[in-house]
Amino acid sequence: MAQIELEPVERIRVTILMDNVTDLLIPDQDAVTRFNVPKALAASAARVPARFVDEGVPDALIAEHGFSALVRVEKDARERTLLFDTGVSPTGMVENMRRLDLSLEDVEVIVLSHGHWDHVTGMEGVARTLGRAGLPVMIHPEFWSRRRVRFPGLDPAELPSTSRSALEGVGFEIVEERQPSFLLDGSVLITGEVDRSTEFETGFRGHDAFRDGGWQPDPLILDDQAMVLRLSERGLVILSGCGHAGIVNTVRYAQRLTGQQEIAAIIGGFHLSGPMFETIITPTVRAFDELSAGLIVPAHCTGWKAVHQLAARFPEAFVQSTVGTTVEL
């Protein structure tokens, strides 16, 4: 595989805008800051009236089964901003941005990790907030696929899919890439379709796509892609939405693409939740031994069993993800 030169950046800040977990009691730690009780109480603007409480109460953040992150990249003393996924509801992510005093006006490009609705529906809130902003939206061509899930003992259930005409109708510029692509002058890499190399990350059994007039197995979810950045002294930072391609596959693919072996951080969904995927927690944790990531920030669909095993195995690297967490690298 031909390697591609990923330009190093000086500083990266990843703020979790939507995740399954909120926790106002979680403390800051080293390079990780939280939206916790002290900050919530200090932010007088983020107060809501409460009939039975004097001076109102903190305007706490919303947690939902979805994922979104704001990525701020500093290079040559200039900060650039990207939005990675937009969460599961039309308003949750944008409301959290308001409460965190963050602005969508700063966003230069939106990257959608894959087509599942719990990463995409917040585009509606983005459109309402910005109007016809003309922002580029990076996706894989299979993003638009109609999909359903089949679980034992239950009828197949079709998943909500995204309307191309609706997105384009409000002014978004859709950019489809199957191969790796660069953003922000070569300093951000979008993986495109991820190579599958592990024996254990075999996909989502019971996940189908509608193709050629009928439902067909779609376990690989080929539109799943990640964002990769590079810190010159610390290595790669990898941001995953769900990790349907396999989080180990994804990290190893980023290493092969860039020729960089050192991993500064792995952040996002690792998709190890539920009986089907809990069987691969052990080999995943074992593979993380080899990856030696500086920080491990499992979020969203990673699942509590996997989170607990990762926390126990890598206590120095592990960071609990919560809505409002900012990881600074």
Side-chain angles (χ1 to χ4, degrees):
M1 176 184 293
Q3 293 177 3
I4 49 183
E5 185 66 28
L6 179 59
E7 289 288 323
V9 300
E10 295 144 17
R11 182 181 180 217
I12 300 168
R13 286 187 292 163
V14 178
T15 298
I16 307 300
L17 301 177
M18 183 54 67
D19 197 359
N20 301 31
V21 176
T22 183
D23 187 349
L24 279 175
L25 299 179
I26 196 165
D28 296 348
Q29 58 184 99
D30 298 327
V32 180
T33 57
R34 314 285 193 170
F35 186 81
N36 48 26
V37 166
K39 294 182 181 64
L41 291 174
S44 59
R47 295 291 186 100
V48 292
R51 182 177 177 186
F52 303 113
V53 179
D54 291 340
E55 299 181 5
V57 296
D59 202 355
L61 301 180
I62 300 164
E64 300 173 339
H65 181 87
F67 188 72
S68 177
L70 192 72
V71 181
R72 288 167 285 183
V73 180
E74 188 174 308
K75 181 181 178 184
D76 299 329
R78 179 188 178 192
E79 186 171 84
R80 313 286 295 274
T81 304
L82 306 92
L83 181 61
F84 184 80
D85 287 348
T86 62
V88 69
S89 73
T91 59
M93 183 214 73
V94 294
E95 183 62 20
N96 282 345
M97 288 193 76
R98 181 190 68 80
R99 298 178 190 189
L100 290 165
D101 197 25
L102 297 169
S103 175
L104 278 168
E105 298 286 349
D106 298 328
V107 173
E108 298 179 56
V109 61
I110 299 171
V111 179
L112 297 177
S113 65
H114 63 298
H116 286 164
W117 89 103
D118 50 336
H119 298 254
V120 176
T121 309
M123 290 293 289
E124 184 172 334
V126 175
R128 289 176 184 172
T129 302
L130 293 179
R132 295 187 65 86
L135 279 177
V137 179
M138 303 289 298
I139 63 168
H140 182 284
E142 293 199 22
F143 172 93
W144 310 106
S145 299
R146 280 180 62 193
R147 276 146 171 177
R148 71 176 188 181
V149 290
R150 293 176 288 107
F151 293 117
L154 300 174
D155 292 333
E158 186 165 351
L159 305 176
S161 54
T162 305
S163 166
R164 177 195 289 269
S165 61
L167 281 181
E168 292 180 334
V170 296
F172 291 114
E173 176 192 345
I174 305 302
V175 182
E176 298 185 18
E177 292 287 350
R178 192 176 293 271
Q179 302 301 319
S181 56
F182 281 122
L183 298 173
L184 307 188
D185 303 320
S187 57
V188 177
L189 174 66
I190 308 304
T191 61
E193 202 166 298
V194 173
D195 281 354
R196 314 302 165 103
S197 58
T198 68
E199 295 180 354
F200 56 90
E201 293 172 317
T202 57
F204 190 160
R205 297 187 306 277
H207 185 276
D208 298 335
F210 194 83
R211 299 190 180 103
D212 302 323
W215 291 103
Q216 299 179 16
D218 181 40
L220 298 184
I221 313 178
L222 292 176
D223 52 316
D224 184 85
Q225 56 185 357
M227 180 183 293
V228 183
L229 305 102
R230 176 187 164 208
L231 290 162
S232 56
E233 302 298 326
R234 299 175 60 186
L236 301 178
V237 175
I238 297 160
L239 188 61
S240 165
C242 261
H244 287 296
I247 191 61
V248 179
N249 281 334
T250 300
V251 175
R252 289 180 177 172
Y253 185 55
Q255 290 174 318
R256 291 198 303 276
L257 279 176
T258 62
Q260 303 292 319
Q261 297 306 302
E262 191 172 4
I263 305 297
I266 308 170
I267 303 170
F270 299 174
H271 214 286
L272 297 168
S273 183
M276 184 186 305
F277 293 97
E278 287 172 359
T279 60
I280 68 169
I281 292 174
T282 297
T284 300
V285 173
R286 190 180 301 125
F288 267 59
D289 264 324
E290 299 174 7
L291 296 174
S292 300
L295 289 179
I296 301 171
V297 191
H300 178 42
C301 55
T302 304
W304 71 268
K305 287 186 178 180
V307 167
H308 280 265
Q309 289 196 36
L310 288 164
R313 180 68 188 87
F314 307 104
E316 298 302 317
F318 175 80
V319 174
Q320 172 65 56
S321 176
T322 63
V323 180
T325 291
T326 295
V327 179
E328 185 168 331
L329 297 152

